[in-house]
Amino acid sequence: MACRARAGRNRGRLQEWSMADMTHKEKAQQLLKQQYHCSQALFGAFAEDFGLDLKTAFKISTCFGGGMRQGGLCGCISASMMVLGMAIGFYDSQDKEQELYGNKKTDEFIRLFREKMGGRTDCRTILGKDISIPGEMAVIRQEGLIMKNCPHAINISIDILEDMLRKYFENVAETSFELKDIPDNENLQGSEGTGANKLHFFRKNVKNLIYSSARGIGFIQFDVSKFKIINDLYGEKFGDEILEFITSQLQEVCGENKFFANLGGDVFMIATEYDDKEELVDLIHCIDGRLRCFKGVKLCFSYGVYLAEDKSMELRQMEDRASMARQAAKKNILANVLFYKDQFKEYLYNRKFIEENMQAAIAERQFIMYLQPKYSIEKGEIVGAEALVRWRHPDKGMIYPNFFIPIIEENGFIKKVDYYIWAEACRFIKRCMDEGLIPCPVSVNVSRYHLRDDECIRILKDLIGSTGIPRQLLELEITETAEDQQISKKALMLKKEGFTLLMDDFGSGYSSLNILLETPFDVIKLDKKFIENMMVSSKGRLILEHVIAMANRLGLGLLAEGVETKEQVDLLRSFGCDQVQGYYYAKPMPEEEFFSLLKKENHLRDIRMVPVEDQNMAASAM
Ligand code: C2E
Ligand code: CA
Ligand code: CA
């Protein structure tokens, strides 16, 4: 009963309060009169500015009365630190600039507070009595010392805070003005310093907007559909022109309280105030209309929108949610504009899980190599294997690569995982050789991430050198994409080093046949979906037949992957594709299992090679 009565009373107070349109000082004084602690009154006065509801603000700031109860640090100082933290604190551990700025400002606050309070910063000296001593508490109550002294400390704090925050946001506005002086193409051409700065200013402006606006804040993130193909078809210079065009159009559309930034590549972000969702949809239509066509080339975009209802959320998190929505829009065939839904959060949790656990996973050898055999249809024998990573997590069990590879490709950790799997593959080949088995080539996946630098070539050479295995036994699978120049260059270098190159997922994406001309692949791996799609129509089967014929005539090796049915095997064989990999033959399996399979096959081959009378002896020994 008592509890309910108290809750009711609080609710009444909050309603009264939220109706008032008052200054920070008036709010704080009213709260103090309602017997909230000074830390609660002060922080509560700023709650609305940060989009915090009062209850949350009160709860958080309650604990900051701790200093006061000990007769120590004045609650106004602790609460002011929180206000400063909410306004100018940093959340990115690498944002040293913001951290230093925040430290400077908190020191400055305490210095000014001390000055204005005549050197008094703790409760004991401000009240002239010690709250922590029961007898003195009675005197404080009798003489009304709190209402005599604390309003002054609160007002002084608010004066200092308002002044500091006003200067900070003026400074932000000025710096964002400087933005206009930076030539936009510097960012577009990947000048990292400038790009990073611009993003920094964008974020400062948006934080300011979130802090100062009473309206909703919406984030719209978008990118150009199939931008890589456009680059491929029309050249990178044309791609750059498109990005410049987008920037100039956004400059016209965005104005006061509408900010935009290029987040890198073809991804753009807009942050804007809004009152209802329709406004954002209208804005997207307006932008889409302006950007739809450039120099006669039709452009399409995917838009992700996040409505920042909870303004206390970290900016980075808001951006992430708009990004989630954009990525979902990219995959959606029915709509190119999607609003963030909570389901997308799952992706964020997964990413967080991966990022937090991946280092330990390497250190504790949780990543393991599985091997999937490749077969010759004709001979019915294993002709190789592909090494595929698995993550055996102590609590979550087996985690499959499609879950974590896209994320570790984004953050670069893929390098470590790949190096580990390459080393495992080399070790396995060496093991087979040491045990006298017929050498079986093992292919490893080479993420596109490696193609940025030459480190992978050095690593591969070191692995070959240290294990002493023949170079041709370690094959490299590289996925075809439209960004062929970079791949071609690196592939050529790998080829010169004597590695066998397999073009992975042929027919799955961009299918630029140019790549066959420019990049010295040895083997084409026909993608599972490609085979499936082609098999369903006579036209498709004709294309499949001719792609196989083309590869054969070019002297390229051919391997069909994801083969699941006898029908597929028969068709591929009739078209002239002999090598296959897929569940029809075998699923990826642990090293030991594959090793046993290989051993058994070697044994059978030995038997086939010896005269019939000896075969009987060998069979009885099995
Ligand atoms: P991928 O390189 O195209 O590998 C083939 C994928 O298809 C494997 O999935 C394999 O298990 C699966 N698969 C094979 N035969 C069949 C079949 O008949 N039916 C079906 N439905 N699936 C089949 P997995 O192992 O889950 O790997 C998925 C992708 O993750 C790989 O596709 C590859 O892109 C990436 N990946 C896996 N291991 C590594 C690695 O060590 N490094 C890098 N960079 N990427 C890896
Ligand atoms: Ca592969
Ligand atoms: Ca593949």
Side-chain angles (χ1 to χ4, degrees):
M1 268 309 276
C3 246
R4 210 181 299 154
R6 201 179 308 140
R9 206 166 59 224
N10 267 345
R11 217 179 7 251
R13 278 184 191 174
L14 292 180
Q15 264 171 7
E16 214 176 286
W17 153 264
S18 64
M19 284 190 300
D21 180 17
M22 300 182 286
T23 63
H24 290 130
K25 280 185 188 171
E26 287 165 350
K27 287 176 185 176
Q29 298 309 334
Q30 180 159 330
L31 289 173
L32 201 63
K33 273 190 215 135
Q34 290 178 2
Q35 293 175 20
Y36 285 100
H37 297 166
C38 61
S39 56
Q40 289 176 310
L42 181 46
F43 190 60
F46 283 85
E48 225 175 313
D49 300 292
F50 304 120
L52 283 179
D53 68 278
L54 263 181
K55 271 189 199 164
T56 313
F58 287 154
K59 280 186 187 171
I60 302 171
S61 49
T62 312
C63 19
F64 287 89
M68 188 177 69
R69 281 199 314 280
Q70 307 302 314
L73 193 69
C74 169
C76 293
I77 296 184
S78 344
S80 298
M81 295 297 107
M82 291 183 71
V83 172
L84 286 175
M86 289 296 289
I88 60 174
F90 69 103
Y91 57 84
D92 176 351
S93 62
Q94 300 311 307
D95 194 350
K96 296 297 170 205
E97 192 192 327
Q98 194 69 10
E99 184 180 359
L100 283 175
Y101 183 83
N103 291 347
K104 223 172 86 190
K105 289 290 144 190
T106 46
D107 291 351
E108 189 181 320
F109 177 91
I110 295 174
R111 182 178 52 77
L112 289 171
F113 183 89
R114 184 180 288 119
E115 262 173 39
K116 296 193 179 193
M117 291 291 292
R120 294 171 302 157
T121 54
D122 62 40
C123 210
R124 207 175 291 117
T125 45
I126 291 171
L127 288 176
K129 294 277 171 228
D130 193 339
I131 263 181
S132 65
I133 301 169
E136 300 211 355
M137 186 61 207
V139 182
I140 290 170
R141 283 219 184 90
Q142 267 166 19
E143 296 185 9
L145 291 180
I146 290 181
M147 288 317 286
K148 269 187 198 156
N149 295 289
C150 298
H152 180 58
I154 287 180
N155 282 343
I156 278 179
S157 305
I158 292 176
D159 281 340
I160 304 172
L161 285 173
E162 284 182 342
D163 189 47
M164 284 173 99
L165 295 178
R166 186 178 40 75
K167 282 186 188 146
Y168 171 69
F169 288 115
E170 272 171 13
N171 186 28
V172 169
E174 269 168 35
T175 12
S176 68
F177 190 68
E178 278 169 34
L179 198 62
K180 296 193 177 123
D181 303 333
I182 303 168
D184 278 311
N185 58 3
E186 277 183 40
N187 182 23
L188 300 170
Q189 276 154 17
S191 151
E192 284 214 339
T194 316
N197 270 339
K198 286 184 131 187
L199 205 52
H200 185 69
F201 293 137
F202 167 77
R203 292 195 171 125
K204 273 192 175 173
N205 284 332
V206 177
K207 275 187 206 165
N208 184 10
L209 189 64
I210 293 170
Y211 173 75
S212 60
S213 174
R215 302 172 65 195
I217 307 294
F219 289 82
I220 302 169
Q221 194 182 103
F222 69 93
D223 71 341
V224 188
S225 305
K226 301 196 166 57
F227 187 62
K228 289 190 178 74
I229 296 185
I230 294 171
N231 262 331
D232 196 30
L233 287 175
Y234 300 98
E236 275 180 26
K237 197 166 163 289
F238 188 77
D240 288 349
E241 281 179 29
I242 291 178
L243 299 181
E244 280 168 33
F245 166 67
I246 296 174
T247 305
S248 68
Q249 292 298 316
L250 289 180
Q251 262 161 357
E252 283 180 26
V253 173
C254 296
E256 207 191 342
N257 292 347
K258 258 193 196 68
F259 302 102
F260 78 93
N262 179 322
L263 301 184
D266 60 326
V267 182
F268 289 82
M269 175 80 97
I270 299 168
T272 177
E273 290 179 302
Y274 75 97
D275 288 320
D276 67 68
K277 240 168 129 176
E278 282 307 306
E279 257 179 78
L280 295 177
V281 175
D282 288 346
L283 177 63
I284 292 173
H285 281 150
C286 163
I287 293 169
D288 204 61
R290 282 170 169 259
L291 302 180
R292 203 169 290 157
C293 186
F294 177 67
K295 290 191 176 173
V297 174
K298 189 171 174 284
L299 300 176
C300 295
F301 300 87
S302 305
Y303 299 89
V305 188
Y306 177 65
L307 310 176
E309 276 148 13
D310 171 9
K311 289 190 175 181
S312 64
M313 184 187 280
E314 285 185 359
L315 178 57
R316 188 60 198 272
Q317 217 176 336
M318 297 179 181
E319 290 179 15
D320 274 349
R321 291 183 172 196
S323 166
M324 291 301 97
R326 174 181 64 84
Q327 284 168 45
K330 269 172 103 73
K331 290 188 191 121
N332 194 306
I333 44 168
L334 297 175
N336 69 333
V337 181
L338 282 186
F339 282 72
Y340 172 83
K341 284 201 208 99
D342 265 354
Q343 289 97 299
F344 302 159
K345 232 191 301 183
E346 203 183 311
Y347 177 90
L348 282 175
Y349 287 140
N350 291 344
R351 188 162 86 178
K352 197 156 171 272
F353 168 83
I354 292 164
E355 286 172 349
E356 282 172 359
N357 289 277
M358 61 191 189
Q359 298 285 0
I362 277 274
E364 292 163 18
R365 298 177 74 89
Q366 292 169 11
F367 289 114
I368 46 175
M369 175 183 69
Y370 264 45
L371 291 161
Q372 186 178 28
K374 298 171 184 173
Y375 281 84
S376 154
I377 303 177
E378 213 56 58
K379 295 185 197 146
E381 283 175 359
I382 294 176
V383 288
E386 175 176 6
L388 294 157
V389 66
R390 297 287 179 266
W391 180 353
R392 201 165 43 197
H393 190 268
D395 305 324
K396 298 217 171 221
M398 195 66 95
I399 308 176
Y400 288 85
N402 286 339
F403 178 81
F404 61 87
I405 297 260
I407 290 162
I408 62 172
E409 270 183 337
E410 255 176 53
N411 65 26
F413 196 72
I414 186 70
K415 272 193 169 186
K416 281 197 179 164
V417 174
D418 272 358
Y419 292 163
Y420 180 74
I421 296 295
W422 300 351
E424 285 290 281
C426 291
R427 182 189 52 71
F428 178 76
I429 296 169
K430 174 87 166 51
R431 177 183 173 195
C432 293
M433 287 166 61
D434 289 347
E435 304 228 5
L437 300 183
I438 300 168
C440 156
V442 176
S443 62
V444 291
N445 288 285
V446 178
S447 159
R448 296 185 36 70
Y449 199 90
H450 298 288
L451 305 169
R452 296 179 183 186
D453 57 48
D454 291 340
E455 194 189 18
C456 70
I457 299 183
R458 187 179 53 75
I459 300 273
L460 285 166
K461 278 163 68 177
D462 286 355
L463 280 172
I464 298 288
S466 62
T467 50
I469 60 169
R471 192 159 290 213
Q472 65 275 16
L473 290 185
L474 184 72
E475 299 181 337
L476 309 178
E477 296 198 7
I478 301 174
T479 303
E480 58 151 346
T481 76
E483 285 171 61
D484 52 346
Q485 278 176 349
Q486 211 183 6
I487 294 195
S488 297
K489 216 172 107 207
K490 206 50 57 81
L492 207 64
M493 287 165 83
L494 288 164
K495 183 78 189 151
K496 277 193 189 141
E497 293 293 336
F499 290 102
T500 304
L501 304 185
L502 281 66
M503 185 199 274
D504 204 354
D505 302 337
F506 182 88
S508 66
Y510 303 107
S511 279
S512 164
L513 290 173
N514 276 341
I515 214 165
L516 285 180
L517 195 67
E518 288 163 17
T519 314
F521 281 103
D522 301 284
V523 178
I524 292 179
K525 278 189 85 168
L526 297 177
D527 183 62
K528 177 178 187 293
K529 275 263 151 1
F530 178 70
I531 300 171
E532 279 170 5
N533 291 343
M534 292 300 156
M535 277 183 67
V536 292
S537 69
S538 54
K539 197 167 158 188
R541 282 194 293 276
L542 199 66
I543 294 175
L544 185 60
E545 185 177 2
H546 281 85
V547 166
I548 293 173
M550 175 190 74
N552 285 334
R553 288 191 64 183
L554 286 170
L556 291 169
L558 204 62
L559 179 97
E561 68 176 332
V563 173
E564 290 182 346
T565 64
K566 178 152 189 332
E567 188 200 355
Q568 288 175 332
V569 173
D570 292 342
L571 194 78
L572 288 163
R573 185 187 12 210
S574 71
F575 287 165
C577 172
D578 178 52
Q579 295 198 355
V580 282
Q581 174 186 351
Y583 294 175
Y584 182 74
Y585 284 91
K587 287 192 169 180
M589 56 188 82
E591 172 183 334
E592 275 322 310
E593 217 174 291
F594 182 70
F595 187 76
S596 306
L597 199 66
L598 211 55
K599 218 165 156 184
K600 215 155 94 189
E601 266 215 0
N602 268 246
H603 190 72
L604 287 174
R605 279 188 221 178
D606 290 346
I607 292 174
R608 268 187 232 124
M609 279 189 290
V610 293
V612 181
E613 57 271 24
D614 293 345
Q615 275 187 26
N616 293 336
M617 281 176 65
S620 61
M622 271 177 81

